[in-house]
């Protein structure tokens, strides 16, 4: 029996099932499904590939779509061993025909049906399976991918005329980030050139290459916050991922394509927007080559090699709504040609490699350099070169796809004081807003701010220490203020920060007299 015979039998069963449900109810269901899925691609129920990858699909009742490959594979399985063909399904009775013995029985009984009451020509094995009942175990309906119509004229996602100039981008970054003048200038120019490349539609044969970036800076200097602010100003999809969980394909951990999958989720599963977004890979120094050559490096050099095609630009098949590929997750294809990759890391012990290179010129004599000359240099990372990063463990092919490399400055005490008060989202402004909801004014003495910055500098974790220090001494104030409605103003003093005194509290009556 061929595939065509099975197609006729399956279609006959589907028609019978439709008649049992009722034609009016089926039409109403189809209309509602079309309205819900309008503008989204169909996904194969079996292989979970999208309509753009496999082409037009076959739809069966229950809002189930099956691609031609899976349907043909099902027919082949049924034809070559998926069902017990011999003596059971190959019999004339099962195919709708009648043997002479059966005809004799029918004539004696005066009917053309068997004693069981079932009409011949059906396949019991298939008629008992209702795929609609299995949707709860299939692909999730919440993960939908928007359709792409190649013939439809669509407006570009990124309009080059709306991208601000580099000096305007830097001016916007200055409102949120203190210091890091060189880093802000480099990022402004690189991002502006990248989106000029994306919006270029000329056909003069000149193709502009991508300007992927590598940020190097100590912990807490603002690498992640810089990228977040930049993406917010440009209003483009941004995905922030961590390189520590990435592993080689086939090992436990996130696949390399998961970084692109997170960008697709940030773009609300819109492939066109995702293909022009920004991916920030933090902790990139954690995938450096391992110095122990006796073990397989599944999360180091192999991950760098796997990321080469992503950084340069290639069409990759990524899971939708998951970090790894599996049989229950739909897949889609994304071209990373116009995706801007920004990699950042603290690169611990890179300063030792830099010092070793700089001290090679040291010699015996009066004019020789001291070996401890650079020990107290906090901005030693600014002297880093591509060769230093390669010795750290990054392969040359990986560094070659990150042409823009720059270093962030270490935060000084003066910069930490400015971080407390100057940015739009400064920590002091956040607490002033919190107490302002209780109609209480909060002030910080200048000596108190300097004491906070000094304590944060000693912790050596950058600006992250500021929040923890303020949270510690603001706990009692945030707890006690709501108790007394007569409190009108609280001033944080240096003694209170250093735990040698208390804050200055003014009542509403006294505060009103002073204001007059």
């Amino acid at each position: 029996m061929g595939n065509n015979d099975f197609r006729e039998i399956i279609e006959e069963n589907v028609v019978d099932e439709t008649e049992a449900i009722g034609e009016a109810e089926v039409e109403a269901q189809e209309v509602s499904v079309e309205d819900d899925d309008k503008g989204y691609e169909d996904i194969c129920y079996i292989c979970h590939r999208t309509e753009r990858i496999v082409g037009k699909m076959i739809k069966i009742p229950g809002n189930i779509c099956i691609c031609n490959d899976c349907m043909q594979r099902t027919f082949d399985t049924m034809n070559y061993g998926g069902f017990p063909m011999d003596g059971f399904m190959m019999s004339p009775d099962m195919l709708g025909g009648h043997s002479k013995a059966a005809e004799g029985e029918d004539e004696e009984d005066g009917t053309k049906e068997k004693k069981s009451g079932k009409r011949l020509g059906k396949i019991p094995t298939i008629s008992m399976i209702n795929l609609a009942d299995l949707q709860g175990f299939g692909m999730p309906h919440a993960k939908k991918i928007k359709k792409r119509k190649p013939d439809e004229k669509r407006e570009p996602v990124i309009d080059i005329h709306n991208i601000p100039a580099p000096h305007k981008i830097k001016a916007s970054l200055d409102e949120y980030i203190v210091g890091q003048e060189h880093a802000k200038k480099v990022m402004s120019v690189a991002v502006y050139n990248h989106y000029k490349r994306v919006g270029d539609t000329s056909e003069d044969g000149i193709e502009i290459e991508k300007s992927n970036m590598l940020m190097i800076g100590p912990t807490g200097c603002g690498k992640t916050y810089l990228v977040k602010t930049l993406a917010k100003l440009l209003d483009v999809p941004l995905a922030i991922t961590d390189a520590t969980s990435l592993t080689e394909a086939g090992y436990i951990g996130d696949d390399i394509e998961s970084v692109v999958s997170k960008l697709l989720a940030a773009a609300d599963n819109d492939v066109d927007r995702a293909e022009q977004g920004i991916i920030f890979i933090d902790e990139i120094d954690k995938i450096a080559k391992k110095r122990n050559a006796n073990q397989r490096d599944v999360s180091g050099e192999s991950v760098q090699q796997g990321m080469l095609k992503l950084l340069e630009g290639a069409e990759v098949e990524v899971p939708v709504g998951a970090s790894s590929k599996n049989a229950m997750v739909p897949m889609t294809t994304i071209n990373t040609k116009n995706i801007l990759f920004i990699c950042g890391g603290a690169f611990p012990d890179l300063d030792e490699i830099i010092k070793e290179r700089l001290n090679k010129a040291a010699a015996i004599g009066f004019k020789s350099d001291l070996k401890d000359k650079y020990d107290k240099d906090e901005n030693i990372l600014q002297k880093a070169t591509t060769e230093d990063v390669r010795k750290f463990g990054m392969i040359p092919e990986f560094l070659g796809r990150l042409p823009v490399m720059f270093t962030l400055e270490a935060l000084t005490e003066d910069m930490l004081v400015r971080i407390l008060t100057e940015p739009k989202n400064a920590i002091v402004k956040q607490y002033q807003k919190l107490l302002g909801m209780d109609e209480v004014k909060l002030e910080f003495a200048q000596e108190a701010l300097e004491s906070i910055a000094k304590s944060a500098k000693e912790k050596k974790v950058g600006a992250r220490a500021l929040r923890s220090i303020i949270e510690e001494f603001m706990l009692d104030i945030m707890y006690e203020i709501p108790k007394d409605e007569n409190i009108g103003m609280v001033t944080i003093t240096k003694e209170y920060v250093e735990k040698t005194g208390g804050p200055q509290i003014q009542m509403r009556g006294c505060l009103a007299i002073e204001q007059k």
Side-chain angles (χ1 to χ4, degrees), residues 255-410:
D255 294 336
I256 298 172
E257 291 82 1
S258 65
V259 299
V260 186
S261 181
K262 292 180 180 179
L263 179 64
L264 180 62
D268 196 18
N269 292 338
D270 189 343
V271 177
D272 290 325
R273 288 196 72 222
E275 287 183 346
Q276 297 181 2
I278 299 175
I279 294 179
F280 177 59
I281 306 177
D282 203 0
E283 306 294 343
I284 198 68
D285 52 292
K286 303 304 185 292
I287 61 171
K289 289 193 297 185
K290 304 296 185 294
R291 297 180 182 179
N292 185 5
N294 297 328
Q295 300 178 356
R296 183 172 178 83
D297 193 5
V298 299
S299 62
E301 182 180 359
S302 58
V303 176
Q304 296 184 50
Q305 294 173 350
M307 290 182 64
L308 297 181
K309 62 177 182 179
L310 298 182
L311 297 174
E312 189 170 7
E315 288 191 355
V316 293
E317 206 171 65
V318 300
V320 180
S323 59
S324 60
K325 301 176 182 178
N326 59 73
M328 306 303 292
V329 176
M331 307 290 294
T332 189
T333 302
I334 293 182
N335 193 338
T336 63
K337 180 181 178 181
N338 293 329
I339 296 177
L340 179 62
F341 287 87
I342 303 175
C343 301
F347 288 86
D349 298 332
L350 179 62
D351 55 344
E352 299 297 331
I353 298 176
I354 299 173
K355 291 176 184 178
E356 181 182 356
R357 174 176 58 83
L358 295 176
N359 288 329
K360 281 185 177 179
I364 299 176
F366 292 104
K367 295 183 180 181
S368 62
D369 292 333
L370 298 177
K371 290 190 175 181
D372 58 350
K373 177 180 179 180
Y374 303 100
D375 288 347
K376 296 182 179 181
D377 188 358
E378 294 183 346
N379 293 319
I380 186 68
L381 292 178
Q382 292 186 349
K383 298 179 174 64
T385 62
T386 305
E387 181 65 19
D388 297 328
V389 181
R390 189 192 63 79
K391 287 184 178 180
F392 182 84
M394 313 305 289
I395 61 177
E397 299 90 338
F398 185 82
L399 294 175
R401 287 164 173 82
L402 299 170
V404 182
M405 188 180 78
F406 59 96
T407 307
L408 278 72
E409 304 173 10

Side-chain angles (χ1 to χ4, degrees), residues 247-252 255:
T247 56
E248 186 181 356
Y251 290 84
I252 296 176
D255 294 336

Side-chain angles (χ1 to χ4, degrees), residues 224-235:
T224 306
Y225 189 66
L226 191 61
V227 178
K228 283 183 178 180
T229 307
L230 184 65
K232 182 173 64 174
L233 295 175
L234 297 177
D235 191 22

Side-chain angles (χ1 to χ4, degrees), residues 84-228:
M85 303 291 183
D86 299 335
F88 178 67
M89 294 185 66
M90 295 299 293
S91 63
D93 296 341
M94 299 303 297
L95 298 177
H98 295 281
S99 62
K100 294 182 179 180
E103 291 177 357
E105 292 177 359
D106 293 342
E107 292 176 358
E108 293 178 0
D109 297 341
T111 180
K112 290 186 178 181
E113 294 183 359
K114 282 185 173 291
K115 295 180 181 180
S116 61
K118 294 183 178 179
R119 185 172 61 83
L120 296 177
K122 290 188 177 182
I123 301 179
T125 310
I126 295 180
S127 62
M128 290 187 297
I129 298 176
N130 185 8
L131 294 178
D133 296 337
L134 302 177
Q135 286 188 351
F137 303 97
M139 63 185 179
H141 290 283
K143 307 299 181 185
K144 296 182 179 180
I145 303 170
K146 292 187 177 181
K147 283 185 178 180
R148 255 186 176 183
K149 296 180 180 179
D151 298 334
E152 181 183 1
K153 293 183 179 180
R154 302 184 57 177
E155 296 181 358
V157 179
I158 301 297
D159 186 4
I160 184 59
H161 301 290
N162 293 331
I163 297 296
H167 68 280
K168 294 182 179 179
I169 296 177
K170 183 181 179 299
S172 300
L173 292 174
D174 290 337
E175 297 179 359
Y176 295 91
I177 299 167
V178 172
Q180 312 298 354
E181 299 297 325
H182 177 67
K184 288 186 287 190
K185 185 182 296 185
V186 171
M187 291 193 70
S188 301
V189 173
V191 169
Y192 182 68
N193 290 338
H194 172 75
Y195 283 108
K196 279 199 297 187
R197 170 184 177 273
V198 172
D200 183 23
T201 57
S202 60
E203 298 181 357
D204 53 2
I206 301 176
E207 185 176 354
I208 305 173
E209 294 185 357
K210 294 175 64 175
S211 54
N212 297 326
M213 290 177 274
L214 174 62
M215 288 195 303
I216 301 175
T219 180
C221 65
K223 298 185 294 294
T224 306
Y225 189 66
L226 191 61
V227 178
K228 283 183 178 180

Side-chain angles (χ1 to χ4, degrees), residues 26-40:
V26 171
E27 291 179 359
Q29 292 177 356
E30 290 178 353
V31 171
S32 62
V33 169
E34 289 179 359
D35 293 339
D36 294 340
D37 294 342
K38 187 176 181 181
Y40 292 91

